[in-house]
Amino acid sequence: MALPDISQFTCSAGINLIERLREHGIDGAYIRSMTHGPDDLLAPLHPRREALDSNDPRAIAVQLFFCGAPVEKTEAAELLSSGLAEKLHAAGILLNSSANSWIFPFLFRTVHGLYLFSDYLGTERDAVMGASQTTGILYQAARPRHHVGRILDVGCGA
């Protein structure tokens, strides 16, 4: 599968998505309670039966964003609000899985209270290093304690 073009993804859409997930109480502990198996950053998490059998918006969010499962467009719109769901679809963050469902094609994890998404570390040639515990630690270490006028990011790679 080709990596989606997310050039239309805006900072405000990302912030709105994170706010909605936080409003629903979707954090690392909840995600772990609704999934099982190892998290190798190569593939989506595996939902527990409770997540698959639930109509709770939190379980639907885990299925969509953390387990790579297709979710009905109406359920996604209820979870996110229809305006945000449509913005994420237009930005290439949510892709059509079928005529009535969307899928989230990225690795999405919570680390140290941060919501991070990246490519899966699978077989795609264009994939980049996935978000992990180290990502969160490096972010916390690099986060300025005061306002910074300019920053130069020298991408060192993995």
Side-chain angles (χ1 to χ4, degrees), residues 38-56:
D39 184 5
D40 59 7
L41 304 179
L42 296 174
L45 297 173
H46 301 283
R48 292 187 182 277
R49 182 173 301 277
E50 303 88 72
L52 294 172
D53 294 340
S54 178
N55 290 328
D56 183 328

Side-chain angles (χ1 to χ4, degrees), residues 3-155:
L3 296 174
D5 175 10
I6 63 166
S7 60
Q8 301 302 309
F9 185 57
T10 64
C11 185
S12 66
I15 290 169
N16 290 338
L17 171 59
I18 291 166
E19 286 173 349
R20 292 296 294 170
L21 294 176
R22 285 188 174 141
E23 285 171 13
H24 285 292
I26 299 166
D27 58 14
Y30 180 76
I31 295 162
R32 281 188 299 281
S33 76
M34 297 301 276
T35 60
H36 62 88
D39 184 5
D40 59 7
L41 304 179
L42 296 174
L45 297 173
H46 301 283
R48 292 187 182 277
R49 182 173 301 277
E50 303 88 72
L52 294 172
D53 294 340
S54 178
N55 290 328
D56 183 328
R58 297 184 324 154
I60 292 166
V62 168
Q63 290 176 54
L64 176 62
F65 292 112
F66 301 94
C67 297
V71 168
E72 300 252 344
K73 290 179 180 180
T74 55
E75 291 178 321
E78 288 175 22
L79 167 71
L80 300 170
S81 81
S82 59
L84 178 57
E86 290 296 333
K87 283 181 185 176
L88 295 177
H89 179 254
I93 300 299
L94 294 176
L95 302 179
N96 290 326
S97 174
S98 71
N100 298 320
S101 64
W102 280 323
I103 194 162
F104 182 77
F106 301 98
L107 178 139
F108 199 21
R109 298 294 187 268
T110 60
V111 178
H112 299 290
L114 303 171
Y115 291 80
L116 307 170
F117 76 91
S118 64
D119 304 321
Y120 286 102
L121 296 177
T123 59
E124 295 295 328
R125 290 181 43 172
D126 292 340
V128 297
M129 180 63 78
S132 67
Q133 292 291 334
T134 304
T135 309
I137 292 167
L138 291 173
Y139 171 80
Q140 296 292 346
R143 190 172 70 191
R145 306 277 188 264
H146 54 82
H147 177 74
V148 176
R150 289 180 159 193
I151 295 177
L152 172 62
D153 178 6
V154 180

